[in-house]
Structure formats: structure tokens, C-alpha cells
Amino acid sequence: MYGLCGCCWALRPRYKRLVDNIFPEDPEDGLVKANMEKLTFFALSAPEKLDRIAAYLLERLTRDLNRHRYGYVCIAMEALEQLLLACHCQSINLLVESFLSTLRLLLEADKPHLHILATNSFVKFANIEEDTPSYHRSYDFFVSRFSEMCHSEHDDPGTQNKIRVSGIRGLQGVVRKTVDNELQVNIWEPRHMEQIVPALLVNLEQHTPNDSGSPAEQTEVCFRELLGRAAYGHINNAIRPVLMHLDSHSLWEGRGFAVRCFQIIMYSIQSQHSHLVIQQLLGHLDANSRSPASVRAGIVEVLSEAAVIEATGSVGPTVLEVFNTLLRQLRQSVDYQLTGYYDNAGKHKTTSSKEETLQDAVIRTIGSFANTLPVYQRSEVMLFIMGKIPVPGIYPALGSPNAGFEGSRMIQVMLLKSLLQVSERYESSNLLTALPSSFLEPLLSFTLMEDPEIRLLVLSILTSLIDRRHNAARLSGATASAAFDVSSLELKEDRSSRQDILFVRKHAQRLYRHVFLACKEESSSHSHYQQLFILLAVLSVELANEEVMVDLIRLVLALQELASSNQEPLTPLNRCGVHAVCAAALGVMSQLGPPSPVQQHVAQVIERRRKDAPHLLPENIFCDSHSLPDGELKVDQEFLFVQWKICEGLTASSYSSQCERFNTPYTPQLTDEDRLAKRKSVGDVVSLQMEMDPQSPETPQKPQTEQITFETLKNAIEDRGFVEEEERRKRLEVVERFQTAPFEEIAAHCGSRASLLQSKLDQVFDLIIRPPPSPSGQSPPRSTPLYEMKFPDLCVY
């Protein structure tokens, strides 16, 4: 009976007859719409027949596909699409399995137009919202096939682009269909992401501007949608294939594709997940620490761009770990630059230029990260960076043990540059917070270092932190003239705050002392003197009150006396530089509050210098092409600022209460910190510390019981220069001994000190355990000290 039904069309089931009626005799005529409406009405009236209708359509499509009748194949696919769109959500599952099987058949064929047809149908299916979940669907095949289409290498460029666009749209449909349905396949699993992400990135590389409809444009849309749907737990799985792709195709070098790729990522993901991307990049940077400098520099550039885009006030819970990783890269780069190899085996060479490019990128990235942080976290970052710098007296581990003095100096310079990057955009209304003692003291110690680059960086950092109104840029542009008009500055209108007054009382004298000592450095250049002037001007603007202004004028007059004195071994450039600093600083200070007689005196001296001694003015010194007079530098009295005239000009004004302080010339008080800070290596520090010890272990220590009288004080003052010279000579002898003596001799000397210490400890222990005197006058027998007792092995104590 069943065989007869197959032969006689009238006896066939109704759904088969309705399906057969939609196919015309000539496939070019297309789908018979009237009969398709009848089939759709029948399917909606009897939804239980949907699975049979879909199965029969699949049977006809398979037969036509095998017979290469592609016109009828297209008609069958159109019929399936219309049935999918017309059916209710409750009954769509009856059609889906047959529909997906049909798509598999088309995608497995070797005809590009069938691949495109199947992809278009799948995209329409992906846009249908389903209310009824499905437990048996699998999209693994479609992920694999669509990803393969994205890598198409068809001979015809036009066909290749169409296939790739279809593959990208298919992946986009898979993501839409599966990402919000927990019962479907987890598209975020690594095995799927490792297929999808590289397929997208391959097409994203071929991006060209104004290329509408290209695979790259469609890829960017799909990539953004994929990342925008990623939840917290999916970010790592989505980013890891990106890093692998960039590694395998050597795409980190330069600022091209890698930067653009992560710009898309950072703008697409949810803002609260941005720190996960940063952490992935930091981990990848650590993993590539043995890679060429160009690769490391590319990763750092991407980090910098990602930090700028994030800018949400935090880079995650491990803020300091970000900077720790970047600073570690700086130290490793120094090691590679000194050794010439970026691996321990010494097989892969590197150059100083490549490592310097990396170091500049790391420093810029540190600044980019710091700018995304709130003010309180920037303070922590500055303290953190300062703790990594080899400060005099504090010696953290710096790279490889054989880096030596040059390696430590390079790290000091680079970390100070990083600190400058952070401080340049530091915004704080409270100087006590911006410059706490734990930060200011080690920073100021660098102003006494012999390296001029380090001193210049420290002066720039101090200026940027104190300059809350951003006047430094205006002052630096105005250093070409001593007659600078202060009206162009952003001056403070209110009186000094309580925090400013506390800062002045706590740290001002230390600042003045280091400015004075910095002017005595023989290796200073015109840049140092220009920065010193800017620092003095910023101090006078930010901390403007009568007491601070008088102290600064006293400091400037002391600097003028320093430059005029023949006791200091200064070069003509140093002396002219200090005179130029005094002229420029007084030119600004005289306009910030002192009465007009002071301004007139300063203006007169500057005018005399301009006529007869231009080498004492900043326009001649604060530039590369400075000219100095031939022979010995002599400065006439008419070119100097006179203390009594300034003091007289300040009388009968609000400064009159401070005028008495001019009677006491400013003299910096040297501290142990200042004497010990000017050193170049750890060996110098050890030698200077050893200088404080007795000359020989056998020399007994005598208590100082000398009576202090007026004569002794007078002699001490008169002989101070001789004493300081003697101390300096002894210190140099000790430094030379520790730098030139054999190691055995130094070890023997240190061993003798240890023996002396042990003997002193023994004496202390004897005094501690000595029993009190007996009332009878007889000394009791000596008891065994506790630390000398021998306890049994099983004794519990």
C-alpha cells in the first residue's frame, strides 16, 4: 500500500503534496507564492506536522543538491526560512533540527554561493527570539565552519571577500544565538574563542580607510558586539587568543595593529571590566621579558593606550602591582642594555637604542597609568616609586649583581623620570600631602648627587609638585629676560592656608638649604640654573607671605655672596649662572608684594647689568649659546643687589617686622644627611660610615668632660674652617682606602670591628648578670649565666 502511495501522487500525504506544489517546473520562476501560503497555513493549523514538513523539505533539498539542481535548493531554503519566520515560538523547535541539518549540507558543499546562501539563512534564524529552550542543539560545527570561511583564500578577490564577510556574519549570528542562552553551548570556552577571535583578527588586519562593506569593517562590528556581551568571567578567555595571535604573527612591533586592536577592546567591553584587560597585558609583558626590545616596547605602548582609554579612577585592586611590573621591566632593560643580550644564555643580542626606546615607552606608560588614578593613589604611587630608587642610605635590589655603579645610576635616572611623569599632572591643594617627610627627605638628598642629570630631574620634580597653579610653563618661557612681568602669572589671591604655613615651618629651611647647596655644584649647566630660578619663583608665588618672602630674599642675597666670593672653587659659568638666578628671582619677587623702593633698586641693578655686564643676566646664561667674558670674572659693586637698600625699602610696610632678620645673613646649616648624601656608590657609603668608628680597636673610649667656656667657643668659631678641611681630608683618605685597598685588608678591618663589638657586648653581659654587693662585704660566688647553661636534650622549657 505504501509503495502505491509513492507512485500515485494523489494518494500521498497532504503535507507532501503541499511541499511539492511550491516547486515550479522551471526553477528560474522561483517559489510558487500561492502554494507557499497554503503550506504555511497548513503548518500553522497543524503544528504537529512541522517536523514531517521539515524532514521532507530536507529530503528534497538533499536529492536536488546531489543532482546539482541548485535552483531547487535555493527554493527549498527559502521555504524553510518562511516557515521559520511564520511559526510560533512554541513550535519552532520542530523545525530547527532539520533546518540546521540543511545548513550543514550546504556548508559542506564546495560551492561558494551555497556557503553564502546557508550563512544568510543562519543569520535570519539567529535573529529569531525563542521562548522555548532547546537542550539538544549544538553549534560547534557552525563555529568551526564560519571561522574557516573567515580564512578563505579564494582565487577571485571579489568572491573571497564575499565568503569572508559571510563567515564573519555567521560568527556574529552564533554569538547572538548562544551568548544569552545558558542552555546552549558556552561560546566563551577557550576552544571556541581560539577559533573565533583569530578568524576576526585576520580580517581586521586588512582594514583600509573608507572601505565600506569590506571584511574588516564587518569584523570590527562583530568584534565589538562579541566583547560588549562578555561578562566578568569571560574577559580572560576572550583576550588570551588576541595575545596569542599578536605573538604568533609578530604584530607587537610598532604602534599599528596591536594598538588599534586594544583600542577596540577597551572601548567595547564594560567599563568595570577594564582592569582585567590591563592585568592580562601586564602578565603578558612579564611572560615576554626575554623577548626582543621591540616586542616589549609594543606591549608597553598598548598598555599606555589602554590606560588612557580606561581612565575610570582605578586600574583594579592591585594598583601598585601595575607599577611594580613596569619598574621591573625598567630594571631588566638596564641589565640587557649593559650586557648587550636580552637572555641569560648570551645568544640574542640587543642594542642600546632599542632598550632606550623601551625605557621611554615604560616611563610614558607609568605617567599614563598615574593620570588615571585619584590624587590619594598618586601620592602612594610616588612613594612607591621613591622606595624603588637607590636613595643614599637605602639600597634596594637593583637588577643583576654585576650591574655596578653605571647600572644603579641609569636606574636612578629612569625612576626619577617616571616620578616626574607622575608629578607633572599631580593636582593637590595641600603641600603637606604632596610632599610628606617620607617623600621629601629622600628626594632632596638627590640634589647633592654628583650626576647633573639626576639633580636636574629632582629640581623639575620639586617644581612640578609645588607649582599648583601651573606657572612654571610661563616662567620657563620668560627666562629670556630678567624684567619679567608678573601680571601674566596666575597669582594667589587669598592668604596662605594653615597647611601652607605648616609646610613652611616644617620643610622650608630644608628646601632653602638644598637650593643653596645645589648652586655650588661645579657640574651644573644653564638648564640647572634656569630650573633653580623657576623653583624659587614658584616658591615665592605659592607660599607668598612676608616671612617666606624675606627668607627667599635672604637666600638670594646669600647666593649672590656665594658667587662673589673667591673661597668657593666655582667656574666662571657657575658664578654667572648664580648671578643670573639672583637677578631673575629678585625681579619676580620684587613684584609680588615688596614696596616700590625695592622694585626700583632691583630694576636699576638689572638695567646696569644689561648695559655693562650682560653676562650676569638670565637672557645670556639660560640658553645654549651663552657668552662669558675672557679671563677672570670680576663683578663690580654696582652690579650687585645691596642688602641695606632692600632692607630700607621694606621698612614702613608690612615687611617692617621682618626687617631685623636681614641683620643675620643666611647661612645653611649642614646636617649629617648633607655630608653623607654626596656619594656615588655603596662602597663610598660604607667608607663614610666606617669613618665614624675609632681609628684602632685598642683606643679606649674616654668620656668628654671638657668644660665649655667662652674662649673654647671663640676658638671653635675661628678654627671652624680648619676643622672642616681636616674632616674633609680624613674622609677622602678613608674613601680612597676602601676603593683601592685589597679585599683581604678591608675584610680584616671589618673583622677587627666585629671583635671589638663582641668584647663590648661581653662587658655589657657581665654587668647585667653581676649580682648585687653582699651586706657582709663578701662577694657571692659567680653564678653561671643563663646563655652558658647546658640543658638536657629532653628538657622542656
Side-chain angles (χ1 to χ4, degrees):
M1 187 66 183
Y2 290 106
L4 292 176
C5 292
C7 297
C8 183
W9 186 85
L11 298 178
R12 303 184 69 185
R14 185 183 178 189
Y15 73 89
K16 288 189 177 182
R17 284 183 278 126
L18 291 173
V19 169
D20 291 337
N21 288 336
I22 66 174
F23 291 94
E25 293 184 2
D26 186 359
E28 294 183 359
D29 294 340
L31 184 68
V32 180
K33 296 183 178 179
N35 294 334
M36 186 63 213
E37 291 177 358
K38 294 179 183 179
L39 177 61
T40 303
F41 179 77
F42 175 79
L44 295 176
S45 302
E48 67 276 3
K49 301 289 187 181
L50 274 174
D51 56 342
R52 300 182 185 181
I53 295 173
Y56 185 60
L57 277 171
L58 174 60
E59 179 184 343
R60 286 208 55 159
L61 185 144
T62 305
R63 184 171 63 246
D64 293 333
L65 183 62
N66 292 333
R67 296 175 180 177
H68 304 287
R69 298 193 293 185
Y70 301 118
Y72 289 116
V73 171
C74 296
I75 292 174
M77 283 304 306
E78 185 179 355
L80 278 172
E81 291 172 7
Q82 292 192 19
L83 286 174
L84 278 172
L85 295 174
C87 290
H88 296 290
C89 296
Q90 291 80 1
S91 56
I92 195 173
N93 284 334
L94 298 175
L95 275 173
V96 169
E97 289 302 324
S98 299
F99 176 74
L100 294 179
S101 299
T102 304
L103 296 182
R104 291 191 190 96
L105 288 176
L106 297 180
L107 292 173
E108 288 174 349
D110 56 353
K111 299 296 182 180
H113 69 279
L114 296 180
H115 300 166
I116 298 173
L117 175 65
T119 304
N120 294 335
S121 298
F122 184 84
V123 171
K124 294 178 182 178
F125 163 68
N127 292 329
I128 299 176
E129 297 183 1
E130 299 182 53
D131 294 337
T132 305
S134 175
Y135 300 90
H136 305 289
R137 256 180 241 166
S138 174
Y139 296 96
D140 293 358
F141 170 80
F142 295 99
V143 171
S144 176
R145 192 69 187 92
F146 289 143
S147 300
E148 184 181 347
M149 290 171 63
C150 293
H151 295 277
S152 173
E153 295 293 341
H154 199 275
D155 296 335
D156 181 25
T159 305
Q160 174 183 311
N161 285 344
K162 290 180 181 179
I163 296 174
R164 290 194 172 195
V165 170
S166 296
I168 295 166
R169 294 180 66 240
L171 289 176
Q172 190 175 10
V174 172
V175 172
R176 289 179 181 175
K177 200 65 179 175
T178 59
V179 74
D180 295 327
N181 193 342
E182 296 180 358
L183 298 176
Q184 301 292 345
V185 61
N186 186 3
I187 201 67
W188 302 107
E189 291 182 358
R191 60 191 181 95
H192 292 142
M193 285 289 104
E194 290 173 3
Q195 297 181 32
I196 295 175
V197 173
L200 297 177
L201 295 180
V202 165
N203 292 280
L204 194 62
E205 291 179 50
Q206 302 176 356
H207 175 76
T208 55
N210 302 324
D211 190 4
S212 178
S214 65
E217 183 182 2
Q218 188 67 35
T219 298
E220 184 171 344
V221 174
C222 179
F223 198 32
R224 290 183 182 275
E225 183 175 351
L226 173 68
L227 296 169
R229 294 173 178 266
Y232 180 84
H234 304 148
I235 296 294
N236 290 340
N237 290 342
I239 301 301
R240 192 176 297 112
V242 177
L243 301 175
M244 295 171 59
H245 180 83
L246 295 175
D247 284 341
S248 58
H249 292 79
S250 302
L251 296 174
W252 288 112
E253 301 179 7
R255 292 176 51 87
F257 177 71
V259 172
R260 179 171 175 268
C261 182
F262 274 90
Q263 285 177 342
I264 295 174
I265 293 173
M266 296 300 294
Y267 281 122
S268 300
I269 62 175
Q270 302 176 38
S271 59
Q272 64 268 26
H273 302 158
S274 298
H275 67 278
L276 294 176
V277 181
I278 302 295
Q279 290 178 358
Q280 284 279 85
L281 284 169
L282 288 171
H284 198 66
L285 181 59
D286 275 341
N288 283 271
S289 59
R290 303 287 181 188
S291 299
S294 56
V295 174
R296 286 176 278 136
I299 301 175
V300 171
E301 290 287 351
V302 171
L303 267 170
S304 179
E305 294 293 333
V308 171
I309 294 172
E310 185 197 24
T312 55
S314 175
V315 290
T318 56
V319 176
L320 297 181
E321 184 59 30
V322 173
F323 295 93
N324 193 32
T325 301
L326 294 174
L327 296 180
R328 185 166 58 248
Q329 291 297 321
L330 276 179
R331 292 196 296 270
Q332 290 177 351
S333 178
V334 169
D335 294 341
Y336 299 157
Q337 184 175 353
L338 293 175
T339 60
Y341 298 92
Y342 60 84
D343 61 340
N344 292 330
K347 296 181 179 179
H348 304 284
K349 290 186 178 182
T350 185
T351 61
S352 296
S353 59
K354 292 180 180 179
E355 295 297 335
E356 288 172 359
T357 302
L358 168 65
Q359 293 158 12
D360 293 340
V362 172
I363 291 171
R364 288 195 304 270
T365 304
I366 289 175
S368 299
F369 270 112
N371 293 334
T372 66
L373 301 177
V375 174
Y376 73 94
Q377 283 189 331
R378 294 190 200 182
S379 301
E380 294 178 0
V381 168
M382 289 194 295
L383 284 172
F384 180 75
I385 296 176
M386 179 59 69
K388 296 291 184 181
I389 305 177
V391 182
I394 306 173
Y395 301 99
L398 298 173
S400 61
N402 55 359
F405 165 69
E406 181 61 22
S408 298
R409 191 200 70 83
M410 292 172 63
I411 292 176
Q412 285 177 345
V413 170
M414 285 183 291
L415 295 186
L416 286 173
K417 286 182 179 180
S418 304
L419 198 57
L420 180 60
Q421 286 284 328
V422 180
S423 63
E424 281 180 342
R425 298 187 183 180
Y426 182 81
E427 300 288 344
S428 176
S429 59
N430 189 350
L431 287 180
L432 281 176
T433 304
L435 290 167
S437 299
S438 57
F439 177 79
L440 182 61
E441 292 179 3
L443 182 64
L444 287 176
S445 66
F446 281 103
T447 60
L448 305 177
M449 298 292 286
E450 293 186 357
D451 192 295
E453 186 176 5
I454 292 177
R455 296 201 310 272
L456 184 60
L457 286 171
V458 173
L459 292 174
S460 302
I461 293 170
L462 283 171
T463 303
S464 61
L465 290 174
I466 297 174
D467 184 26
R468 293 171 291 183
R469 290 169 177 79
H470 310 290
N471 289 316
R474 304 181 183 93
L475 289 167
S476 61
T479 53
S481 173
F484 173 65
D485 187 8
V486 228
S487 60
S488 61
L489 299 179
E490 185 179 347
L491 303 177
K492 103 183 251 198
E493 299 177 356
D494 52 346
R495 294 184 61 83
S496 298
S497 63
R498 180 174 177 271
Q499 290 81 6
D500 288 349
I501 296 174
L502 290 175
F503 176 82
V504 169
R505 293 177 180 175
K506 191 173 183 181
H507 301 299
Q509 293 303 320
R510 185 182 292 111
L511 268 172
Y512 302 156
R513 181 174 71 248
H514 283 81
V515 168
F516 183 88
L517 296 177
C519 289
K520 298 173 63 174
E521 296 293 338
E522 299 181 18
S523 58
S524 297
S525 65
H526 67 279
S527 301
H528 293 80
Y529 294 114
Q530 179 179 1
Q531 198 61 46
L532 282 167
F533 154 67
I534 295 174
L535 177 58
L536 289 173
V538 166
L539 280 171
S540 60
V541 171
E542 293 293 335
L543 305 175
N545 59 51
E546 289 82 358
E547 180 180 356
V548 173
M549 194 64 68
V550 169
D551 281 341
L552 288 173
I553 294 176
R554 290 175 61 228
L555 173 62
V556 170
L557 293 175
L559 290 175
Q560 178 180 261
E561 182 66 23
L562 170 69
S564 303
S565 174
N566 294 326
Q567 297 179 359
E568 296 292 338
L570 299 178
T571 64
L573 175 62
N574 298 141
R575 297 184 187 278
C576 292
V578 176
H579 281 298
V581 169
C582 296
L586 281 178
V588 172
M589 294 176 192
S590 62
Q591 303 178 56
L592 292 176
S596 56
V598 177
Q599 300 180 26
Q600 293 174 2
H601 172 64
V602 172
Q604 289 173 0
V605 174
I606 291 176
E607 187 61 29
R608 292 193 197 111
R609 291 187 180 185
R610 184 171 287 110
K611 291 180 179 179
D612 300 324
H615 55 274
L616 302 181
L617 292 178
E619 50 260 40
N620 184 68
I621 298 299
F622 297 168
C623 60
D624 296 327
S625 58
H626 50 264
S627 58
L628 300 177
D630 298 332
E632 185 180 356
L633 178 66
K634 293 183 180 180
V635 181
D636 297 336
Q637 291 296 324
E638 60 178 348
F639 301 139
L640 300 179
F641 301 97
V642 183
Q643 175 180 332
W644 68 267
K645 288 186 178 181
I646 295 177
C647 183
E648 183 179 341
L650 293 177
T651 55
S653 67
S654 59
Y655 292 85
S656 58
S657 60
Q658 306 287 337
C659 288
E660 294 182 359
R661 302 173 60 189
F662 280 99
N663 297 328
T664 306
Y666 175 80
T667 304
Q669 299 296 325
L670 296 180
T671 62
D672 292 339
E673 170 200 354
D674 301 328
R675 282 191 284 268
L676 295 178
K678 188 171 181 179
R679 51 209 179 208
K680 295 183 295 183
S681 65
V682 178
D684 296 343
V685 180
V686 175
S687 63
L688 292 175
Q689 292 173 350
M690 293 291 294
E691 180 190 0
M692 308 302 296
D693 296 332
Q695 293 296 327
S696 63
E698 293 79 8
T699 304
Q701 297 293 328
K702 295 182 179 181
Q704 297 180 358
T705 58
E706 183 181 358
Q707 185 178 3
I708 299 176
T709 62
F710 174 76
E711 291 297 329
T712 57
L713 290 176
K714 181 179 178 181
N715 294 333
I717 293 175
E718 291 177 353
D719 299 336
R720 185 60 186 167
F722 175 76
V723 173
E724 288 184 353
E725 182 64 27
E726 186 66 20
E727 290 180 356
R728 183 170 177 272
R729 184 185 62 80
K730 290 181 180 179
R731 183 162 58 249
L732 291 177
E733 289 179 358
V734 176
V735 169
E736 183 179 0
R737 182 179 65 182
F738 272 83
Q739 287 181 341
T740 59
F743 176 76
E744 292 77 8
E745 181 180 341
I746 298 175
H749 181 70
C750 294
S752 64
R753 293 178 58 250
S755 301
L756 176 63
L757 176 61
Q758 185 61 42
S759 64
K760 295 296 183 183
L761 289 176
D762 292 339
Q763 295 177 11
V764 172
F765 289 148
D766 290 339
L767 293 175
I768 292 175
I769 65 174
R770 180 179 299 170
S774 174
S776 61
Q778 298 179 356
S779 59
R782 182 178 182 273
S783 60
T784 305
L786 183 63
Y787 61 87
E788 292 183 1
M789 292 182 181
K790 302 296 184 182
F791 292 96
D793 294 339
L794 299 179
C795 179
V796 179
Y797 54 93

